[in-house]
Amino acid sequence: MVVGEPDTGQRSAASPIRQPETAPLEADELRALHVTRRFGTVGALFLALGSLGAGAAPVLNPVQDIAVLRLFARIPTVSLAIAFIGMGMLVIAWLMLGRFARPGRARLVSRAQLTRTLIMWVTPLMFIPPLFSRDVYSYLAQSEIVHRGMDPYSLGPAQALGVGDPLTSGVSNMWRETPAPYGPLFLKLGSVISSLVGENVVAGVMLQRALELVGVVLIIWALPRLARRFGVEPATALWLGAANPLVLFHLVAGVHNEALGIGLMVAGLELGIRRLPVRVAGDSPPPLARGELPFIVLGTVVITLGAAIKINAMIALGFFGVMIARRWYGRLSDLLKAAGLLTGVFAVVMVALCYGTGLGFGWVGALGTPGLVRSWISPTAELANLGGVLGIALGLGNHTDALVSIVQTAGTIVAGLITMKFLWDSFRWRYRPIIGLGVSLGAFMMLHVAMQPWWLLWAVIPLAAAAGTSRFRVAATIVSAVLAFLAPPPGSTFDGRTFVPLQAYAAGIVVILVALLVVRRSAPMLLKRDTAPAA
């Protein structure tokens, strides 16, 4: 199904949409799979080594005290080249792996083979300095604020901890005096980490990464199960959603809390619809299934926990409500009943979290914090910048900041209207609700002035479970591969020293080309058009 194709019904775990039987990979394909797996693992190792000198290291970098390894910190251009080699090899390995997960093939990679491959690629990235962003240091500082009994939603790290605090020193300058925009559950979990590690930044980063890996595990668990319901090959969904370079680079290596938020969201959807029986437009609804309501409530609770990490997950409740209403009689009254049920559960759980953590509702007022930064890859931010330039050229003055505020508000309104359209159209059986969820989340992410590459995973992961056409896969593959290279490994702009990344990337391209020659000798089929027969 493509985004926009009419929906034909909804399936449950007991009655997933049947797919053509596929055979296991043949000997030559298995050999090519092993080459792909090793190619990606070597890329992950390169990225891990490069991170020692090109990562977003703490201000007091412990690598400087380790013999041999400290060499990487002293040759940043070489380290950046090594990191870029690893990035390129991982992206290429992911693309090569995709040939074995393409729907319609008579022989497909199994979920177990994909999971083992993913584990091999993730493992080297579990024990390295953060990459692509310094956000994890903000997490640590904001969590310490909670641990010390202060309000992270009214005080920034510099105000609460002091500029000289080791945790504050790692935070990017733009975030040192801003409140936390994250939900109470995330900061409470972070405060537990703070109580365990104190001011040990390295241990804090490792435990924060372990927390985000829980979210990655939830994604790996939920994606193939959701895909089976909606007629998408589980291996395809796992490849596009969980093995995506954006997941490896930004959720694992970059330690972003999107991992836990998205993981709880998709896990909640899987749990919530687990007992929903088959319901096709026009059919009479079957009797209430055993365990149906408890699983609906459980799914709502889990999605709410995701929203208490990052508020974006709350959008999933609207489309979950549409799934429930369609399972009943599909009437407007059913939609209102489902909305009332989910809203009630959401309110109870969220109030309990806000008061139980002692953080209250201050996070609601801090949700606009990310908008203080404009991203150069954001369409709305660039539109505002263009307007500012035109204003200067016409002699009207520089009104860029005012335009950013206006464009952000307009973008939010447009994304809200898109969400309302897809909610209604999904309720009228024109789209699958999970496709509406992916499109709506994508609209909110893309129309935000602070859009970052990893934000699009909010859209890609749910869509990977339900949008099964080649058109969507090709588009998502291209977007993911391009966005994977847009954030530099150190999470900085090199202070205007543009020659540093240019030299590093040029050297990296040469090494990657040599590595591809090795692949051509070992498994030539990987660099040729896939001509495997259809199922």
Side-chain angles (χ1 to χ4, degrees):
M1 169 176 286
V2 295
V3 177
E5 181 180 342
D7 190 8
T8 56
Q10 174 180 317
R11 298 283 179 167
S12 70
S15 303
I17 295 177
R18 291 188 176 275
Q19 299 169 357
E21 294 294 331
T22 57
L25 300 179
E26 294 180 343
D28 59 334
E29 292 171 319
L30 282 174
R31 183 166 56 253
L33 176 62
H34 294 326
V35 171
T36 300
R37 185 178 290 164
R38 291 194 294 270
F39 191 83
T41 303
V42 171
L45 290 170
F46 267 101
L47 184 56
L49 285 174
S51 72
L52 300 176
V59 173
L60 300 176
N61 189 355
V63 174
Q64 297 280 10
D65 300 324
I66 304 175
V68 180
L69 294 183
R70 62 189 173 200
L71 176 64
F72 291 95
R74 297 175 182 177
I75 48 174
T77 303
V78 176
S79 295
L80 182 60
I82 294 172
F84 179 73
I85 292 167
M87 292 168 61
M89 292 181 69
L90 273 170
V91 171
I92 292 170
W94 176 65
L95 295 174
M96 293 191 299
L97 181 63
R99 72 187 291 123
F100 302 118
R102 178 175 58 83
R105 286 180 110 253
R107 300 178 300 278
L108 279 178
V109 64
S110 68
R111 281 174 50 192
Q113 290 170 326
L114 260 173
T115 302
R116 284 196 296 271
T117 302
L118 187 54
I119 290 172
M120 290 178 65
W121 293 355
V122 164
T123 301
L125 306 179
M126 292 169 56
F127 309 101
I128 63 173
L131 281 166
F132 307 105
S133 165
R134 303 188 68 85
D135 283 2
V136 66
Y137 300 117
S138 294
Y139 301 165
L140 293 175
Q142 292 156 356
S143 299
E144 179 64 17
I145 293 173
V146 176
H147 179 59
R148 296 186 188 182
M150 293 179 280
D151 184 6
Y153 301 125
S154 61
L155 299 172
Q159 300 161 309
L161 307 179
V163 177
D165 190 280
L167 296 175
T168 302
S169 63
V171 180
S172 297
N173 290 334
M174 67 185 75
W175 304 125
R176 288 188 179 183
E177 298 182 4
T178 58
Y182 310 116
L185 177 59
F186 177 70
L187 292 183
K188 190 61 179 179
L189 292 173
S191 72
V192 174
I193 292 176
S194 295
S195 68
L196 296 174
V197 303
E199 295 181 349
N200 189 327
V201 176
V202 175
V205 169
M206 292 298 103
L207 288 181
Q208 281 283 351
R209 180 174 280 133
L211 184 62
E212 304 314 329
L213 284 172
V214 172
V216 174
V217 170
L218 289 174
I219 292 171
I220 295 172
W221 176 79
L223 257 185
R225 289 168 172 80
L226 287 170
R228 188 182 297 109
R229 297 179 190 281
F230 299 112
V232 174
E233 287 286 354
T236 304
L238 201 56
W239 168 77
L240 181 58
N244 193 298
L246 296 177
V247 172
L248 301 176
F249 293 173
H250 298 293
L251 301 193
V252 179
V255 204
H256 283 286
N257 59 6
E258 267 77 10
L260 193 56
I262 297 172
L264 288 168
M265 180 184 75
V266 293
L269 285 173
E270 162 58 24
L271 290 170
I273 63 178
R274 173 161 287 200
R275 289 289 192 270
L276 294 187
V278 176
R279 173 84 162 90
V280 178
D283 286 357
S284 299
L288 195 67
R290 182 181 178 182
E292 184 174 334
L293 284 178
F295 270 93
I296 288 175
V297 172
L298 175 61
T300 306
V301 170
V302 175
I303 294 172
T304 304
L305 294 179
I309 301 293
K310 293 205 79 168
I311 193 62
N312 308 331
M314 186 177 70
I315 296 174
L317 289 175
F319 291 94
F320 182 32
V322 169
M323 294 180 188
I324 297 170
R326 295 191 345 170
R327 174 265 178 269
W328 292 342
Y329 290 92
R331 301 169 304 193
L332 187 58
S333 59
D334 295 310
L335 184 61
L336 295 176
K337 289 177 184 177
L341 172 62
L342 300 193
T343 300
V345 175
F346 172 82
V348 169
V349 175
M350 190 59 78
V351 168
L353 285 172
C354 289
Y355 284 111
T357 59
L359 294 174
F361 294 90
W363 60 278
V364 177
L367 290 176
T369 298
L372 298 175
V373 172
R374 299 194 293 268
S375 170
W376 67 273
I377 64 172
S378 166
T380 50
E382 290 306 305
L383 181 61
N385 290 335
L386 176 61
V389 170
L390 290 175
I392 295 173
L394 296 174
L396 302 176
N398 187 354
H399 300 287
T400 303
D401 291 340
L403 284 172
V404 167
S405 178
I406 294 170
V407 171
Q408 176 60 76
T409 300
T412 302
I413 292 173
V414 171
L417 292 174
I418 290 173
T419 301
M420 295 302 295
K421 168 184 167 50
F422 273 89
L423 280 169
W424 180 251
D425 286 350
S426 298
F427 175 64
R428 304 305 299 173
W429 299 86
R430 294 172 187 157
Y431 303 102
R432 284 179 178 160
I434 196 169
I435 289 180
L437 171 63
V439 173
S440 299
L441 284 169
F444 275 105
M445 300 303 107
M446 290 190 67
L447 295 177
H448 199 287
V449 295
M451 189 192 90
Q452 300 296 334
W454 55 90
W455 286 16
L456 287 186
L457 288 171
W458 285 98
V460 170
I461 288 176
L463 285 173
T469 63
S470 59
R471 187 169 61 185
F472 164 73
R473 287 194 307 277
V474 169
T477 299
I478 293 173
V479 169
S480 299
V482 171
L483 288 178
F485 292 102
L486 291 188
S492 69
T493 57
F494 308 101
D495 299 322
R497 296 173 295 149
T498 55
F499 64 89
V500 172
L502 290 177
Q503 291 176 349
Y505 291 171
I509 289 172
V510 172
V511 176
I512 292 171
L513 290 175
V514 172
L516 287 176
L517 291 177
V518 175
V519 170
R520 185 179 179 183
R521 289 178 58 88
S522 304
M525 68 179 299
L526 290 173
L527 303 181
K528 297 179 181 178
R529 183 182 178 88
D530 186 13
T531 57

